Amino acid sequence: MAFEVFCWATTNILMEMIMSKTWPHPYDPEFVKLRDAYVKFFTLVTPGNLTDFFPIMRPFMVNGTKKTRDSHNEVLMPWFKKRTDSFHKHRDNPRDYLDFILLKREEILNKRGEDKVPQYLSMEAIYSNQVDNLGIGGFDTTASATDWSLVFFG
């Protein structure tokens, strides 16, 4: 019970900062789907696998990591697309981290042109490197640290 609440709280904090997304409670169906996908992803990648040592094998991802990662993308990607579409309405008043990244992307687009945008500012890279990685990085780490601190100090 406590772990689910900590996961929900930390994910809400992270996603609010990244792209103004929150879920009303830990048992929200959309959040449960995301949490379960994250937990499944962590159980696959925590022990390590061959692709950690041989990156050339990553396209094959033999342990189901890609399929599992895609399942949590099903939850976040539609929201990410909706947020990036609404960015133009809020250009003068950025709401979150994602808006600042999109402002920088737009600034470079205006200076260089569409064909000279750096790869790290492509929409796929923004999603993968900013939204997905920050969400994964904070989801389990913060929730586990908080949970263990209550166990040991409580």
Side-chain angles (χ1 to χ4, degrees):
M1 169 66 181
F3 185 72
E4 288 88 6
V5 173
F6 289 128
C7 287
W8 166 73
T10 55
T11 303
N12 268 348
I13 292 166
L14 288 166
M15 290 303 168
E16 177 68 30
M17 289 187 313
I18 297 168
M19 60 183 200
S20 300
K21 173 67 179 158
T22 59
W23 293 271
H25 53 82
Y27 305 104
D28 180 275
E30 186 183 59
F31 175 74
V32 169
K33 186 176 176 182
L34 177 66
R35 183 198 66 215
D36 292 348
Y38 275 152
V39 169
K40 189 174 180 184
F41 180 74
F42 289 128
T43 57
L44 281 174
V45 298
T46 302
N49 60 49
L50 207 50
T51 61
D52 294 336
F53 304 102
F54 301 103
I56 196 156
M57 295 181 71
R58 283 192 182 135
F60 307 107
M61 292 222 189
V62 295
N63 68 352
T65 307
K66 183 175 179 353
K67 182 180 173 186
T68 305
R69 189 176 186 118
D70 290 345
S71 68
H72 71 78
N73 286 348
E74 287 175 25
V75 176
L76 286 179
M77 187 56 86
W79 216 92
F80 174 76
K81 287 181 180 177
K82 189 165 73 171
R83 279 286 286 108
T84 54
D85 291 344
S86 71
F87 160 71
H88 297 290
K89 296 177 196 171
H90 302 279
R91 181 182 299 126
D92 297 331
N93 188 17
R95 299 165 287 185
D96 49 39
Y97 181 75
L98 183 58
D99 280 355
F100 284 104
I101 295 288
L102 294 172
L103 277 172
K104 188 64 174 174
R105 181 180 192 278
E106 192 174 78
E107 179 184 314
I108 290 174
L109 270 172
N110 291 338
K111 283 183 185 175
R112 299 182 186 177
E114 183 74 45
D115 58 332
K116 295 185 181 177
V117 173
Q119 197 280 327
Y120 66 88
L121 284 176
S122 70
M123 292 308 279
E124 295 82 22
I126 289 173
Y127 173 76
S128 176
N129 295 332
Q130 309 301 327
V131 176
D132 192 34
N133 288 346
L134 287 171
I136 287 173
F139 173 82
D140 187 54
T141 310
T142 309
S144 295
T146 309
D147 201 16
W148 279 107
S149 68
L150 288 175
V151 168
F152 287 113
F153 300 119

